[in-house]
mmCIF file of all heavy atoms in Angstrom:
data_model
loop_
_atom_site.group_PDB
_atom_site.id
_atom_site.type_symbol
_atom_site.label_atom_id
_atom_site.label_comp_id
_atom_site.label_asym_id
_atom_site.label_seq_id
_atom_site.Cartn_x
_atom_site.Cartn_y
_atom_site.Cartn_z
ATOM 1 N N MET A 1 50.582 -96.987 20.443
ATOM 2 C CA MET A 1 51.164 -96.794 19.109
ATOM 3 C C MET A 1 51.083 -98.106 18.331
ATOM 4 O O MET A 1 51.322 -99.170 18.877
ATOM 5 C CB MET A 1 52.629 -96.360 19.305
ATOM 6 C CG MET A 1 53.465 -96.429 18.078
ATOM 7 S SD MET A 1 54.988 -95.456 18.274
ATOM 8 C CE MET A 1 56.208 -96.667 17.796
ATOM 9 N N LYS A 2 50.699 -97.971 17.038
ATOM 10 C CA LYS A 2 50.591 -99.175 16.215
ATOM 11 C C LYS A 2 51.207 -98.881 14.843
ATOM 12 O O LYS A 2 50.932 -97.855 14.230
ATOM 13 C CB LYS A 2 49.114 -99.543 16.060
ATOM 14 C CG LYS A 2 48.930 -100.825 15.297
ATOM 15 C CD LYS A 2 47.500 -101.332 15.420
ATOM 16 C CE LYS A 2 47.332 -102.609 14.614
ATOM 17 N NZ LYS A 2 48.148 -103.729 15.033
ATOM 18 N N VAL A 3 52.058 -99.819 14.384
ATOM 19 C CA VAL A 3 52.701 -99.642 13.082
ATOM 20 C C VAL A 3 52.040 -100.590 12.082
ATOM 21 O O VAL A 3 51.930 -101.784 12.337
ATOM 22 C CB VAL A 3 54.214 -99.961 13.168
ATOM 23 C CG1 VAL A 3 54.878 -99.772 11.799
ATOM 24 C CG2 VAL A 3 54.883 -99.089 14.219
ATOM 25 N N VAL A 4 51.550 -100.032 10.972
ATOM 26 C CA VAL A 4 50.928 -100.875 9.947
ATOM 27 C C VAL A 4 51.785 -100.765 8.678
ATOM 28 O O VAL A 4 52.080 -99.662 8.212
ATOM 29 C CB VAL A 4 49.476 -100.419 9.642
ATOM 30 C CG1 VAL A 4 48.797 -101.391 8.687
ATOM 31 C CG2 VAL A 4 48.668 -100.293 10.929
ATOM 32 N N LYS A 5 52.189 -101.918 8.174
ATOM 33 C CA LYS A 5 53.078 -101.913 6.997
ATOM 34 C C LYS A 5 52.270 -101.973 5.706
ATOM 35 O O LYS A 5 51.259 -102.688 5.621
ATOM 36 C CB LYS A 5 53.990 -103.146 7.018
ATOM 37 C CG LYS A 5 54.866 -103.202 8.236
ATOM 38 C CD LYS A 5 56.306 -102.947 7.859
ATOM 39 C CE LYS A 5 57.196 -103.043 9.080
ATOM 40 N NZ LYS A 5 58.046 -101.885 9.263
ATOM 41 N N GLN A 212 44.591 -103.559 6.408
ATOM 42 C CA GLN A 212 43.565 -103.398 7.435
ATOM 43 C C GLN A 212 43.674 -102.101 8.211
ATOM 44 O O GLN A 212 43.224 -102.036 9.354
ATOM 45 C CB GLN A 212 43.640 -104.577 8.395
ATOM 46 C CG GLN A 212 43.248 -105.857 7.698
ATOM 47 C CD GLN A 212 43.136 -106.999 8.661
ATOM 48 O OE1 GLN A 212 43.934 -107.088 9.586
ATOM 49 N NE2 GLN A 212 42.174 -107.859 8.452
ATOM 50 N N LEU A 213 44.262 -101.108 7.592
ATOM 51 C CA LEU A 213 44.420 -99.859 8.338
ATOM 52 C C LEU A 213 43.074 -99.325 8.817
ATOM 53 O O LEU A 213 42.951 -98.835 9.939
ATOM 54 C CB LEU A 213 45.123 -98.815 7.466
ATOM 55 C CG LEU A 213 45.392 -97.493 8.177
ATOM 56 C CD1 LEU A 213 46.466 -97.655 9.243
ATOM 57 C CD2 LEU A 213 45.789 -96.404 7.208
ATOM 58 N N GLU A 215 40.644 -100.782 9.839
ATOM 59 C CA GLU A 215 40.146 -101.487 11.033
ATOM 60 C C GLU A 215 40.676 -100.824 12.301
ATOM 61 O O GLU A 215 40.103 -100.950 13.368
ATOM 62 C CB GLU A 215 40.657 -102.932 11.053
ATOM 63 C CG GLU A 215 40.297 -103.742 9.842
ATOM 64 C CD GLU A 215 38.929 -104.350 9.985
ATOM 65 O OE1 GLU A 215 38.753 -105.111 10.937
ATOM 66 O OE2 GLU A 215 38.063 -104.025 9.151
ATOM 67 N N HIS A 216 41.844 -100.197 12.174
ATOM 68 C CA HIS A 216 42.515 -99.687 13.377
ATOM 69 C C HIS A 216 42.432 -98.171 13.542
ATOM 70 O O HIS A 216 42.356 -97.677 14.649
ATOM 71 C CB HIS A 216 43.996 -100.095 13.358
ATOM 72 C CG HIS A 216 44.207 -101.566 13.208
ATOM 73 N ND1 HIS A 216 43.865 -102.459 14.196
ATOM 74 C CD2 HIS A 216 44.687 -102.308 12.184
ATOM 75 C CE1 HIS A 216 44.135 -103.688 13.779
ATOM 76 N NE2 HIS A 216 44.636 -103.626 12.566
ATOM 77 N N ALA A 217 42.493 -97.444 12.430
ATOM 78 C CA ALA A 217 42.550 -95.986 12.546
ATOM 79 C C ALA A 217 41.148 -95.397 12.634
ATOM 80 O O ALA A 217 40.201 -95.909 12.039
ATOM 81 C CB ALA A 217 43.274 -95.409 11.332
ATOM 82 N N LEU A 222 46.095 -89.347 15.625
ATOM 83 C CA LEU A 222 47.313 -88.785 15.051
ATOM 84 C C LEU A 222 48.013 -89.883 14.248
ATOM 85 O O LEU A 222 48.185 -91.009 14.737
ATOM 86 C CB LEU A 222 48.244 -88.269 16.161
ATOM 87 C CG LEU A 222 49.464 -87.503 15.630
ATOM 88 C CD1 LEU A 222 49.045 -86.251 14.861
ATOM 89 C CD2 LEU A 222 50.412 -87.120 16.759
ATOM 90 N N LEU A 223 48.388 -89.566 13.016
ATOM 91 C CA LEU A 223 49.007 -90.569 12.134
ATOM 92 C C LEU A 223 50.315 -90.046 11.575
ATOM 93 O O LEU A 223 50.445 -88.847 11.301
ATOM 94 C CB LEU A 223 48.127 -90.856 10.919
ATOM 95 C CG LEU A 223 46.830 -91.610 11.047
ATOM 96 C CD1 LEU A 223 46.349 -92.006 9.658
ATOM 97 C CD2 LEU A 223 46.997 -92.849 11.895
ATOM 98 N N ILE A 224 51.244 -90.971 11.384
ATOM 99 C CA ILE A 224 52.435 -90.648 10.589
ATOM 100 C C ILE A 224 52.354 -91.497 9.334
ATOM 101 O O ILE A 224 52.212 -92.720 9.423
ATOM 102 C CB ILE A 224 53.736 -90.987 11.354
ATOM 103 C CG1 ILE A 224 53.858 -90.138 12.613
ATOM 104 C CG2 ILE A 224 54.956 -90.790 10.450
ATOM 105 C CD1 ILE A 224 55.023 -90.502 13.502
ATOM 106 N N GLN A 231 55.126 -97.284 5.568
ATOM 107 C CA GLN A 231 54.381 -97.673 6.770
ATOM 108 C C GLN A 231 53.597 -96.495 7.343
ATOM 109 O O GLN A 231 53.900 -95.333 7.075
ATOM 110 C CB GLN A 231 55.306 -98.266 7.826
ATOM 111 C CG GLN A 231 56.403 -97.340 8.289
ATOM 112 C CD GLN A 231 57.387 -98.050 9.218
ATOM 113 O OE1 GLN A 231 57.516 -99.259 9.190
ATOM 114 N NE2 GLN A 231 58.076 -97.286 10.060
ATOM 115 N N VAL A 232 52.588 -96.866 8.133
ATOM 116 C CA VAL A 232 51.767 -95.847 8.783
ATOM 117 C C VAL A 232 51.800 -96.132 10.276
ATOM 118 O O VAL A 232 51.686 -97.289 10.698
ATOM 119 C CB VAL A 232 50.321 -95.898 8.249
ATOM 120 C CG1 VAL A 232 49.399 -95.031 9.077
ATOM 121 C CG2 VAL A 232 50.286 -95.441 6.792
ATOM 122 N N ILE A 233 51.990 -95.088 11.062
ATOM 123 C CA ILE A 233 52.028 -95.274 12.514
ATOM 124 C C ILE A 233 50.818 -94.560 13.115
ATOM 125 O O ILE A 233 50.606 -93.363 12.879
ATOM 126 C CB ILE A 233 53.350 -94.720 13.098
ATOM 127 C CG1 ILE A 233 54.520 -95.443 12.403
ATOM 128 C CG2 ILE A 233 53.404 -94.911 14.606
ATOM 129 C CD1 ILE A 233 55.875 -94.861 12.722
ATOM 130 N N ILE A 234 50.039 -95.319 13.858
ATOM 131 C CA ILE A 234 48.847 -94.740 14.491
ATOM 132 C C ILE A 234 49.215 -94.387 15.926
ATOM 133 O O ILE A 234 49.845 -95.187 16.628
ATOM 134 C CB ILE A 234 47.687 -95.759 14.512
ATOM 135 C CG1 ILE A 234 47.426 -96.311 13.108
ATOM 136 C CG2 ILE A 234 46.419 -95.136 15.084
ATOM 137 C CD1 ILE A 234 46.461 -97.485 13.079
ATOM 138 N N ALA A 235 48.804 -93.202 16.340
ATOM 139 C CA ALA A 235 49.059 -92.713 17.697
ATOM 140 C C ALA A 235 50.516 -92.917 18.120
ATOM 141 O O ALA A 235 50.815 -93.654 19.052
ATOM 142 C CB ALA A 235 48.115 -93.412 18.682
ATOM 143 N N PRO A 236 51.460 -92.281 17.423
ATOM 144 C CA PRO A 236 52.879 -92.479 17.759
ATOM 145 C C PRO A 236 53.212 -91.943 19.149
ATOM 146 O O PRO A 236 52.588 -90.977 19.607
ATOM 147 C CB PRO A 236 53.600 -91.649 16.687
ATOM 148 C CG PRO A 236 52.601 -90.636 16.243
ATOM 149 C CD PRO A 236 51.252 -91.283 16.366
ATOM 150 N N ASP A 237 54.190 -92.578 19.803
ATOM 151 C CA ASP A 237 54.624 -92.038 21.100
ATOM 152 C C ASP A 237 55.517 -90.823 20.837
ATOM 153 O O ASP A 237 55.918 -90.556 19.695
ATOM 154 C CB ASP A 237 55.322 -93.112 21.938
ATOM 155 C CG ASP A 237 56.513 -93.717 21.222
ATOM 156 O OD1 ASP A 237 57.160 -92.993 20.446
ATOM 157 O OD2 ASP A 237 56.779 -94.926 21.423
#
Side-chain angles (χ1 to χ4, degrees):
M1 166 163 129
K2 184 167 179 62
V3 180
V4 186
K5 300 250 182 232
Q212 293 188 322
L213 183 70
E215 303 275 300
H216 305 292
L222 187 62
L223 289 193
I224 297 174
Q231 59 187 23
V232 170
I233 302 171
I234 307 170
D237 57 32

